[in-house]
Amino acid sequence: MDRSRQRGTGEESIYRIPPFYYIHVLDQNSNVTKVEIGPKTFIRQDNERVIYGPEKMITVPPRHYCIVENPAVRGQDNDIVIDKSGQVKLAHADQEIRLAQEPFPLYPGEVLKQTVTALKVVTANTALRLRAILDFEDQSGDKKVAGDEWLFEGPGTYIPKKEVVVDETIRATIIRPNQAIMLRARKETLDRDGTPRVTGEEWLVRKVGAYLPGAYEEVVDVVDAYVLTDKKAIHLRATRTFKDDNGKLRRNGEEWLVKVEDAETYIPNVYEEVVGVVPITTLTNRQYCVIIDPVGTDGKPQLGQKKLVKGEKSFFLQPGEKLEKGTQNVYVLGEDEGVILRANEAFKDHGVDRKPGDRWMIRGPAEYVPSVEVDVVTKRKAIPLDENEGIYVRDTKSGKVRAVTGETYMLTQDEELWAKELPPAIETLLQSHKDPLADRSDRSGGPSSSKSREKTKVVTFRVPHNAAVQIYDYKEKKARVVYGPELVMLGPDEQFTQLSLSGGKPKRPNVIKSLVLLLGPDFCTDIITIETADHARLQLQLSYNWHFEVKDKDDKQEAAKLFSVPDFVGDACKAIASRVRGAVASVQFDDFHKNSAKIIRASVFGMDEKQKVRDRFIFPQNNLIITSIDIQSVEPVDQRTRDALQKSVQLAIEITTNSQEATARHEAERLEQEAKGRLERQKILDEAEAERARKELLELQANSAAVESTGQAKAEAQSRAEAQRIEGEAAVQQAKLKAEAARIEAESELERLSRAREAETKYVREQNTLEISKAKEMSEIEVGKFKNMVDAIGSETIRSIAVSGPEMQVKLLKSLGLKSTLITDGSSPINLFNTAHGLIGGSALLAPKADSDDE
């Protein structure tokens, strides 16, 4: 059977309706729809049409419900009411909630607004907020008006009603120890304790456990209790006038403290605002504090007053109180310490009347706690000063400034340290830390110290040896000169005189900045341009040796002369250059070129009465003395003059060279002639001497011939006898010597042979030992090498390598069709006769076998 729904089609005539199914049939004649319920076989008439179904009946299981809109009206006996036209009568715009029952169909016009839904189970500590949308009377007889709200508290199962809707599910709030919940009334109501509450009123519930707010209550917040200890209190403020938990009336804006003596834990009321947590203020016996606006005995703050509290003590600051400068330590003053105090108001200090603004000092050793009428201006400590150290002190009453040096000094209440300002240029020179003597040729700024000068300390400067510094006192309008080595300490109104000297080549003004005037001896170099009488322009580089002549260092006028010329270098160089230019302007170039040193020295130093050049040039303004001038170079400025001078110099060099060559040649010729004369003379003397020697020789020859003729016989006889005697002795001696030589030779040969044999034996023995050790080590190396190779290659690989050669050869021979072959390396000889014999023998052996095969 096809149980598919047939909506609005009446094509089939027979409908088989199973159990618990139904259909809606429309009578097209009367326009009345009826319900057919199974099990049943429905035969459709021609004027009928099935507009809905077959559809399964609605089954509501236990603990479930559904909502039907436009339900059918039922009579007293729960039967469906039919109107006069035969149509099921409906309660339009109404709803019906149906609980667990037998399966039922929906009549024409009924709508299943909510499908079968499980009933809502409300657990413990939860509730449903219900709201009436229609006036009705509940089961207990209470009348509910539309808009009323109430709670359905669990545990339980809520059965819905058509007059009631569920707004929300409310869960109970758990109140733990030291907690409370703040509630607010949404409408006028009674709380759970029966206390009436107006709309907007707030209150606290402190009871530990689960609390379920009422229908017109809402939870604003969970309030935690403040845990109070000996070191902590809370500061409260009333937001409106009320009575606290202790029954005390608190007015709006009133502030108070709650301490541990009042409660160990405290939950602020709804009309109490926690301003903050106040920690305890603890003072040791070495501390104190000043409280501003302290609270009096009546509990009200005394505005504008102060209170001094000394330790040991612990207390809480009351509302409105505050510490002036926090917790302060007692002033413990040593022997070299003190405090300066100022009175804020008139009072008596140990019998001394103090007026507002008075200042005084308390010196140590002492222990001091200032009262509320006194302000501590500052704490002073004695400043230890060496004899070369000092500070500038100004009297605040008179304004005078003085320098204190060489003692330990503590400023009084009317004194302060004064900062001495120096010009920036002098500050730079003092910070550069350059040695005025060793670094006098250094024009760089030098390494400036990263640490700035303490302006309250006395300015000190070390004047090097053979130098001077001028210091000017602007107050006394005096200047003093200090000669080195000395340590200069500036007074409050004194300043260094800065020297700005010329430097460079040629000299340029304001190149050298210094505080020290070196007295010399020293030198300076300058480059000047001159012009001779014949208009040859030359550039001279001159070096001057100078020094200052100071006869009496105690003479102030003579000392002042040293600094009378601000730029003595530039002044001296200009004066010398002027003199040199004036002298050279009247001299021709050739004369100047030959006598430049004499002309320059004479122009600078001048001539004395004996027309000799003086040895010094004095500047009387500052006692500067020039002692010598060194001409380092002379170069023409004009190119043509330079070329002419170069040609002149080359020509002079050539002339001098030729003259020296001619002189040398003449001297050589003269010496050669003298040598030839001496040689001829010596030849004549030698020939004369040779003739005299020849004469003496002839005379001696004659004498010897005479002697020879007379004594020849005698001499021959004697000589023969002597010769025979000597010959015999010589023969004997020779025989002895030969015997001795033979003996010695035999012994030496024997010894030589024995030593040779011994050395040879030792050599052979050692060589054999070395050969044995070598062979042993070589064998070990070969064995190790072979073992390593075998281990590395593997036995299988070696076997394959060993077999591969013969197998390859056999395969090759088989492929070539050769029966036998002979392979040699070309270097080893082969006995072909034996080979041939072997071949013949082999063939002989094969012959009978062949014959037998033929048979």
Side-chain angles (χ1 to χ4, degrees), residues 680-698:
E680 292 295 332
R681 191 183 306 113
Q682 188 66 32
K683 282 184 179 180
I684 294 171
L685 292 176
D686 291 344
E687 288 179 357
E689 188 66 27
E691 290 298 329
R692 282 195 301 271
R694 190 175 296 167
K695 178 183 176 183
E696 292 176 358
L697 179 60
L698 293 176

Side-chain angles (χ1 to χ4, degrees), residues 765-836:
R765 188 184 302 110
E766 292 179 354
Q767 189 174 11
N768 292 337
T769 303
L770 291 175
E771 290 293 335
I772 291 171
S773 61
K774 178 180 178 182
K776 184 176 180 182
E777 292 177 359
M778 290 299 293
S779 63
E780 290 177 357
I781 292 171
E782 290 296 330
V783 169
K785 177 181 177 182
F786 183 74
K787 185 175 181 303
N788 293 334
M789 291 174 61
V790 169
D791 293 341
I793 296 173
S795 58
E796 294 296 328
T797 307
I798 294 173
R799 188 187 67 77
S800 302
I801 292 171
V803 174
S804 64
E807 289 181 353
M808 184 64 69
Q809 292 174 3
V810 169
K811 291 179 180 179
L812 181 62
L813 292 175
K814 285 181 179 181
S815 63
L816 295 174
L818 299 177
K819 298 300 182 178
S820 63
T821 182
L822 178 64
I823 299 173
T824 179
D825 56 359
S827 60
S828 302
I830 300 174
N831 192 349
L832 297 176
F833 291 101
N834 293 335
T835 305

